[in-house]
Amino acid sequence: QLQASGGGLVQPGGSLRLSCVATGFPFDEYAIGWFRQTPGKEREGISCFSRISGGINQADSVKDRFTISSDDAKDTVFLQMNSLKPEDTAVYYCGPCIGLGYPTEFRAWGQGTQVTVSS
């Protein structure tokens, strides 16, 4: 399972750091990324990090504001979010990624963590 945490309420321009901990998930076999979803919309891939290649894919909407990183010793992936905007409001999930997509067979998304950007 991949469990995201660290969300909350923040003012526009603020920062948050999300964490994703892998429990019983083959962390070493997949690129792990961050996704977000708002009601009525498809899950959107925003950042994907391959620890094997070192490659990073970022959505244009978060480039220069969000940074993905990992702590391999702790099977944890982070998302540092700076300069947050109201349109970043969503439930954020972590999961295996292929570019900014995800394996269609993956179902174990976990509950996600709510990020709300509002004054």
Side-chain angles (χ1 to χ4, degrees), residues 64-112:
D64 301 324
R65 299 189 299 122
F66 292 8
T67 303
I68 189 170
S69 62
S70 72
D71 182 338
D72 294 349
K74 297 181 180 179
D75 287 353
T76 303
V77 175
F78 303 100
L79 186 69
Q80 178 66 44
M81 306 189 296
N82 299 327
S83 302
L84 283 161
K85 304 175 181 180
E87 52 263 43
D88 294 318
T89 295
V91 178
Y92 283 69
Y93 303 87
C94 56
C97 54
I98 304 171
L100 294 179
Y102 55 88
T104 54
E105 67 274 16
F106 182 71
R107 295 288 184 269
W109 287 104
Q111 294 184 345

Side-chain angles (χ1 to χ4, degrees), residues 8-93:
L9 173 63
V10 63
Q11 292 186 344
S15 299
L16 283 174
R17 190 191 195 205
L18 306 184
S19 299
C20 172
V21 178
T23 304
F25 184 84
F27 191 74
D28 293 339
E29 298 180 15
Y30 293 90
I32 302 296
W34 288 94
F35 304 80
R36 65 188 182 187
Q37 190 171 22
T38 54
K41 293 190 175 181
E42 294 287 325
R43 199 183 311 265
E44 171 194 17
I46 56 172
S47 191
C48 177
F49 176 45
S50 171
R51 287 164 292 107
I52 297 173
S53 70
I56 295 175
N57 293 94
Q58 294 268 73
D60 288 342
S61 58
V62 304
K63 279 181 180 176
D64 301 324
R65 299 189 299 122
F66 292 8
T67 303
I68 189 170
S69 62
S70 72
D71 182 338
D72 294 349
K74 297 181 180 179
D75 287 353
T76 303
V77 175
F78 303 100
L79 186 69
Q80 178 66 44
M81 306 189 296
N82 299 327
S83 302
L84 283 161
K85 304 175 181 180
E87 52 263 43
D88 294 318
T89 295
V91 178
Y92 283 69
Y93 303 87

